[in-house]
Amino acid sequence: MNILVIINHYVQILIVKNRIAYSFYLLISLKKMPKSYKIDIGENMKKTIRDFDLNNKKVIIRVDYNVPIKDGIILDDSRIVKSLDTLKYAVDNNAKVILMSHLGRIKTEEDKKNNSLQIVASRLSKLLNRDVIFVPSTRGDELECTINNLNPGDILLMENTRYEDLDGKKESSNDEELGKYWASLGDIFINDAFGTCHRAHASNVGIASNIESGIGFLVEKELKELSILDNPVRPFAVILGGAKVHDKINLIENLVNIADYILIGGGMAYTFLASSGLNIGKSILDEESIDFCKRILEENKDKIILPIDSVNENNGNIKEVFVSDINENDVGLDIGHSTIKLFKQYLNESKTIMWNGPVGYTEREEFTNGTKELCEALKNIEATKIIGGGDTASIVINLGYEKYMTHISTGGGASLEYLEGKTLPGIDIIGDK
Ligand code: AMP
């Protein structure tokens, strides 16, 4: 490890009251390994689309076509593209395919106009180079008739499942009648929408409660890749960033049992630094999480690695300083160069890396360097590299690093809850093999 980085690191730590023991633990942390730990959600037990005879069957496939749309144009169709393997398999096996998806949130009639799936049906049709039948309703005669007239190999896309939210949140609250009704439209249900698996909705849990069910290829891949973290090749490092500690308390509680190192950046790092007695100026502070940070640092001195320097903004001026030198009016918005070096040392040693949350305020270019540098480091590291969904996924993809990662999750909330060790209701309900 670079001697300067070590010296910087220890100078910062030693100036913090009562932190001498912590610095000692950090010194030996690269050699210590935790006990192995397993998240058990039985993902290998679940039926997949391969376990069914699809021939001439009406197969409802729940996909995630919640794509970004602006002025009637789909800005990113990767969610549609990622569903194609499952669709092609179903078509090749003579299924009558009934697709369901949500799009945006529906609270008013106006929302309905802006969130119709019709535009998605056209894009899907182009991508598949075949007709896709779009039905502009979520129930009723037209939908039922069209489904009953499907031929093997046909694909139908029903209107946005969340249209049903306008009348009492039926889709989002997993209304029993709605789940039963949608299930009655098909013979088999395949869940291929990982992004909604952490929620019990009528279009996933509701349908699966009523007919035979399995997972599609996209969900299968997510579970396969994320479950690598159940029993990771070590050392296993986690990069955690994002705005608030509060949103990640369950995640941290679970990961301290699994990871060898947790490298903390982003807004949440400042609450950890404050809990260590440092002045963080006007940086984002999550006051209600200070006690949690103190306890978790105390209990895991050997594995939680905090920034040693910070890129701050003060009255429009941007300056990089050690964390001990943050001024009253400074706002910390990115990790500094010494922290990047320090984090790289841990990452270079690691064989499995999981990343959740940007390490800087990436909405502004000036504070994207830390996140970029970590992408660049990961590019050159030979390890299993798993990126959580949501913000982190978009940033890694937008910066052009997608091809260097082992897996980028398609579900922000779902991957977070999986990594918190929670059961995902959308998976749990799927039939066992
Ligand atoms: P999360 O959804 O919890 O992963 O948080 C992502 C958000 O955290 C993004 O909007 C980032 O801009 C924000 N973030 C990262 N670092 C900081 C920081 N130092 N101060 C404020 N917000 C930050």
Side-chain angles (χ1 to χ4, degrees), residues 250-316:
N250 293 332
L251 180 67
I252 296 168
E253 291 275 23
N254 197 35
L255 287 175
V256 289
N257 294 311
I258 315 170
D260 298 298
Y261 322 122
I262 302 183
L263 316 174
I264 297 188
M268 63 192 283
Y270 297 92
T271 301
F272 274 96
L273 292 169
S275 82
S276 309
L278 285 176
N279 172 28
I280 59 161
K282 293 201 162 62
S283 312
I284 186 169
L285 174 67
D286 186 0
E287 254 186 292
E288 62 190 280
S289 301
I290 285 195
D291 287 345
F292 166 79
C293 291
K294 268 190 192 150
R295 174 175 66 76
I296 214 83
L297 278 175
E298 199 51 45
E299 290 172 2
N300 300 279
K301 295 163 181 145
D302 56 341
K303 71 175 63 159
I304 294 190
I305 317 299
L306 297 179
I308 52 178
D309 58 356
S310 163
V311 180
N312 302 335
E313 184 167 62
N314 187 337
N315 268 328

Side-chain angles (χ1 to χ4, degrees), residues 191-200 204-205 215 219 223 414 417 423-428:
N191 189 353
D192 214 18
F194 184 69
T196 55
C197 281
H198 59 310
R199 300 272 180 255
N204 55 13
V205 172
I215 54 175
V219 168
L223 296 179
E417 293 203 14
T423 303
L424 305 178
I427 304 292
D428 206 32

Side-chain angles (χ1 to χ4, degrees), residues 241-244 247-248 265-268 270 284 332-334 356-363 391-392:
K244 282 180 149 194
D247 301 335
K248 310 240 163 117
M268 63 192 283
Y270 297 92
I284 186 169
L333 293 164
D334 198 4
N356 181 298
V359 293
Y361 186 73
T362 44
E363 285 84 348
D391 277 345
T392 330

